[in-house]
Amino acid sequence: MSGAEAVLKAVEAPLFWLGAATAAWFSVCTVYRLLSGLRVWFLGNGRLVSPAKLGQWAVVTGATDGIGKAYVEELGRRGFSIVLISRSQDKLDDVAKAVESKYGVQTKTIAADFSSVDIYSNIEEGLRGLEIGVLVNNVGISYSYPEFFLSIPNLNSFIDTMVNINITSVCQMTRIVLPQMVDRKKGAILNLSSASGMNPLPLLTIYSASKAFVDFFSQALQTEYKSKGVIIQSILPFYVATKMSKIRRPTLDKPTPERYVRAAINTVGLQERTNGYLPHAIMAWVTDLLPSSLFRSYVMGMGLSQRARYLSKQKTG
């Protein structure tokens, strides 16, 4: 036997077992992911989000439209008393009355403009004494159309408004509600980020960055307070058929707010960071496979097309 043959003979068995162990590891990981996906997307954890397990009251910001309104309705259906917070008192009254009538739950409204920063003492007073089991930090704004950073109309005030609504509101509402959840060792804070915060989006720069903040804030906070019995979840939807997204007709990948929220609420306690809806989770998986430079180039091209259409309509309108 030659020297080379002896070497091959010596390493043959270790290589075989290394290959077998690697194949077994990948098989176990694949089965685990399939079972985890089955648990999350088909079985869910819907029983966790209830007044008995988390606390009697739920607080929802941006409660009168879109995803926020859908959370109000779903939480009302589950028996929570609900504090609705939004800018328009008339809209708040309409949604609160509808939920009370439909589900027989107690509601409370607080009118607040989250573009301001002097609203939180009033909100804090309005929530005083309530056993808050769920906080949904939903309020948010986006761009009217994709635009270059320096070309955004009224850029100075736009920056302040975007930061106050999309970032400051999440931090301040969490500051107000989290202490009592820690004291009771139970509660859930659901922070609406966006798939736009998963990757940098050119022409939606401030919005994308603000939603990335919400995502990182939520992940870090969950690590801090998980041992205290509090759930903090980052929710990253793709397009949902809402007024803000300007999508009128829902599809499988662009669901109604109600359909999206029914799916997302079942992931609470199962996923700390979730896209909330199976088609959106698949879209996120595909997006993650793309090189970041290719993804940004694609988004840039799409944004430029949307920008051109918007500006053309403005000229002819």
Side-chain angles (χ1 to χ4, degrees):
M1 181 182 296
S2 68
E5 290 175 333
V7 171
L8 289 174
K9 189 74 173 177
V11 300
E12 183 178 6
L15 286 176
F16 170 81
W17 288 112
L18 177 61
T22 302
W25 171 253
F26 279 110
S27 297
V28 169
C29 289
T30 300
V31 171
Y32 175 77
R33 288 177 180 175
L34 287 173
L35 292 176
S36 297
L38 177 66
R39 171 76 192 281
V40 171
W41 302 116
F42 295 97
L43 300 179
N45 199 27
R47 294 182 180 180
L48 172 64
V49 184
S50 67
K53 293 190 176 180
L54 296 176
Q56 182 57 45
W57 285 85
V59 178
V60 182
T61 66
T64 57
D65 288 299
I67 290 176
K69 183 180 177 183
Y71 266 107
V72 169
E73 293 176 350
E74 179 63 22
L75 292 166
R77 187 182 71 81
R78 291 167 180 259
F80 284 91
S81 301
I82 303 173
V83 181
L84 298 83
I85 309 178
S86 197
R87 184 173 55 181
S88 169
Q89 186 63 57
D90 289 340
K91 285 186 176 181
L92 285 168
D93 291 340
D94 289 343
V95 176
K97 288 176 183 176
V99 171
E100 287 179 0
S101 174
K102 190 172 183 179
Y103 301 111
V105 297
Q106 185 178 356
T107 66
K108 181 174 183 175
T109 65
I110 302 174
D113 182 353
F114 284 97
S115 64
S116 301
V117 294
D118 59 354
I119 59 173
Y120 294 100
S121 59
N122 183 55
I123 292 175
E124 193 165 5
E125 184 60 34
L127 299 180
R128 195 178 305 279
L130 302 181
E131 181 191 66
I132 299 171
V134 177
L135 167 63
V136 182
N137 278 316
N138 164 76
V139 67
I141 60 166
S142 185
Y143 286 37
S144 299
Y145 65 99
E147 184 56 280
F148 291 90
F149 177 73
L150 292 179
S151 298
I152 295 171
N154 304 309
L155 178 58
N156 190 41
S157 61
F158 183 84
I159 291 171
D160 288 341
T161 300
M162 181 75 70
V163 169
N164 288 343
I165 294 177
N166 289 4
I167 294 178
T168 303
S169 68
V170 176
C171 297
Q172 289 286 10
M173 291 302 302
T174 300
R175 174 189 65 81
I176 292 168
V177 171
L178 182 59
Q180 60 146 286
M181 292 183 173
V182 172
D183 289 343
R184 293 186 295 110
K185 294 183 172 57
K186 60 180 180 180
I189 298 177
L190 313 181
N191 292 329
L192 268 294
S193 178
S194 168
S196 301
M198 296 173 64
N199 292 283
L201 296 192
L203 304 182
L204 294 174
T205 303
I206 309 174
Y207 178 74
S208 176
S210 71
K211 289 303 183 179
F213 173 91
V214 174
D215 183 32
F216 275 50
F217 176 79
S218 303
Q219 292 182 69
L221 208 62
Q222 174 66 117
T223 303
E224 291 181 19
Y225 288 97
K226 187 174 183 178
S227 63
K228 307 292 185 182
V230 180
I231 296 168
I232 292 128
Q233 186 184 54
S234 175
I235 307 169
L236 303 107
F238 281 77
Y239 284 117
V240 177
T242 65
K243 185 186 299 183
M244 188 170 80
S245 69
K246 300 177 184 176
I247 295 172
R248 297 180 180 179
R249 295 183 179 180
T251 59
L252 178 63
D253 63 318
K254 301 177 184 68
T256 64
E258 293 76 18
R259 185 175 185 180
Y260 180 82
V261 168
R262 281 196 301 270
I265 208 164
N266 284 331
T267 69
V268 177
L270 295 179
Q271 291 186 312
E272 296 175 359
R273 186 174 186 258
T274 183
N275 296 106
Y277 177 62
L278 179 56
H280 287 190
I282 295 172
M283 292 164 67
W285 176 72
V286 172
T287 300
D288 285 342
L289 294 177
L290 298 174
S292 59
S293 59
L294 178 63
F295 176 78
R296 284 198 295 272
S297 295
Y298 169 76
V299 173
M300 183 70 174
M302 185 172 63
L304 286 171
S305 296
Q306 293 173 349
R307 176 180 181 270
R309 287 197 299 272
Y310 177 88
L311 294 177
S312 177
K313 287 181 180 179
Q314 294 298 107
K315 289 179 180 179
T316 58

